[in-house]
Amino acid sequence: MFAHITARHAAEALHAANPWSAPSIVHDSVQTSWALADHPRDRLVQDLAEPAAKHDRVHGTNTEDTGVWHIAIGGITDIADLDDGECAAITHDVAAAAGFHDGDRPTTRWVAARSRQDHTLHLIASTVGNNDEPLRVETEHVHHVCREIETRIHDQNHAPLEHIGADDLDHEAVVIRDNPELGIAHTLGADNLAELILSKTGFRSADLGAGFRAWRTPYGAGPEQRAHIASTALDLLSAVGYRVSIQTSLLTNPRPDHDIGRAERRIADLTEQLDFCFDADDVAEATTEIDATLRRTTEFTRALSAWSDQRLDDGAYSARLAEAATLLDRAAAIINRDPAEAPAPRPSHMVTRAATTSTTARPGPATTPAASAPLPAGEPPLRRTR
């Protein structure tokens, strides 16, 4: 990745041999408001050249032919795959190195454009800053930042797979991991439907090698943007049934309870199915599913016990967690007993003595209760005794 830096006429910097090959604007620091019918190129040239022209009128100089800085950036890795937002992020970094802006505050008028014909990016900035002083460009610093960007993009595209969690993937599993040091989040394990969802949420395809089809967040995406993209993907993927393993730092809100809600609904269904179970074999299917849930809960409780002992140095809490895991084990064993251990089911025609008494007594004639006479005023109500 390299940068070619010159001071030239604004019209030359935005020149294109053919209208269809003209660079498209990806950033405009002055938020120029123009429509295509208003000859935007001419308006943009005028806006960029105006500070230098004003400076010439005040100081009696003539810098029209060098009224703007033009930085052409080439040799960008996979530039054809970059969207306009990523191109804007690259030009933003280079513009900061050139001194065109300080943080979010522009120090001069500048725009960034991309040329899809020759795969280059262009920064055009007024040579006179917003303080009406000539603006100098530190060319060596610009070249240094270009090399840093190239290295960063390379590192992002070749992130080690062990940081991603790519083991034991299948067509129903998706792994989303963040790498704050590289400023990128990766996704692995997607099939065709998941890939469509990922592309719609802001991920783009990336080749990490080793036969894995990977997806990455755009270049320049900060922590909040990466979290927004990943959390949106999580919501959509989980809603259509994918198992998603996502890093906690990528969650913008508490994790949606798609899996938890599904488990709760399943337990409720199993509870209702008990009314239709008539023997131990029938109920064994339900208890097997509950047993699996309890086993996972037991594993988590034991892991939490070990973690609290190592990280929190809280032996009492760790001991209580270990005891809870043991109780969960016992509960699983009780719930999921062998059907052979169950006694024979009660015949459906058998009823209890209480039921016989209440159901076989001959009903008497229906009577209408007489209305009781009202009590005299001030008299306490009578108490009935046996």
Side-chain angles (χ1 to χ4, degrees), residues 28-106:
D28 179 5
S29 70
V30 294
Q31 301 296 315
T32 305
S33 58
W34 34 258
L36 292 175
D38 297 329
H39 304 289
R41 175 181 170 278
D42 295 339
R43 176 65 182 277
L44 196 55
V45 168
Q46 180 182 347
D47 286 346
L48 293 171
E50 183 180 0
K54 180 180 177 181
H55 187 271
D56 287 344
R57 289 194 298 270
V58 172
H59 298 279
T61 55
N62 183 9
T63 59
E64 181 180 5
D65 290 340
T66 56
V68 298
W69 288 109
H70 179 206
I71 303 179
I73 308 169
I76 303 172
T77 303
D78 298 329
I79 186 173
D81 297 328
L82 304 184
D83 60 25
D84 286 351
E86 292 179 284
C87 291
I90 292 174
T91 58
H92 191 271
D93 291 344
V94 177
F100 298 162
H101 70 86
D102 182 9
D104 293 330
R105 182 179 61 87

Side-chain angles (χ1 to χ4, degrees), residues 251-262:
L251 295 174
T252 55
N253 297 307
R255 180 164 184 173
D257 61 349
H258 297 295
D259 293 337
I260 295 175
R262 188 180 298 115

Side-chain angles (χ1 to χ4, degrees), residues 2 51 60 110 133 138 140 146 189 192 215 260 284 288 294 296 311 319 360 369 371:
F2 59 88
W110 69 279
E133 295 292 332
E138 294 292 337
E140 286 302 320
C146 285
N192 292 336
W215 294 75
I260 295 175
T288 299
L294 287 173
R296 295 191 189 97
R311 300 295 180 89
T360 60

Side-chain angles (χ1 to χ4, degrees), residues 91 115 184 192 261 278:
T91 58
S115 173
I184 191 171
N192 292 336
F278 299 101

